[in-house]
Amino acid sequence: MPHITVQMYPGRDEKIKKNLAEKLAEVASRELGREIEHFSVSIEDVPQDEWKEKVYDKVADPANKNVFVKPGYTM
């Protein structure tokens, strides 16, 4: 049962978040060849002043082999 987590700055409304979550689940369903009901998606708002510590430092770490698309920006 795959779960997708999205972390982003606050500010998007529930409609945008729901639309994004549904589209991510659809793409994952197609790519993994599983029915969409097997997928769940959560969205976590991370304040900008906490982004580096809570997200960037972890995903940009070269030793983190779980992140397949690294950020194209630096902090």
Side-chain angles (χ1 to χ4, degrees), residues 16-73:
I16 290 171
K17 291 177 183 180
K18 184 169 176 32
N19 186 50
L20 174 62
E22 289 171 351
K23 291 194 181 323
L24 290 170
E26 289 170 6
V27 169
S29 172
R30 277 195 312 271
E31 290 298 314
L32 297 177
R34 300 293 308 235
E35 297 298 322
I36 198 161
E37 60 266 9
H38 292 264
F39 295 84
S40 58
V41 179
S42 62
I43 297 177
E44 176 188 353
D45 288 333
V46 179
Q48 186 173 357
D49 62 338
E50 297 174 16
W51 187 262
K52 184 176 183 323
E53 176 187 350
K54 287 189 171 180
V55 179
Y56 181 82
D57 289 345
K58 295 172 187 167
V59 300
D61 181 352
N64 186 342
K65 303 301 182 199
N66 293 320
V67 178
F68 289 88
V69 179
K70 298 285 185 180
Y73 62 92

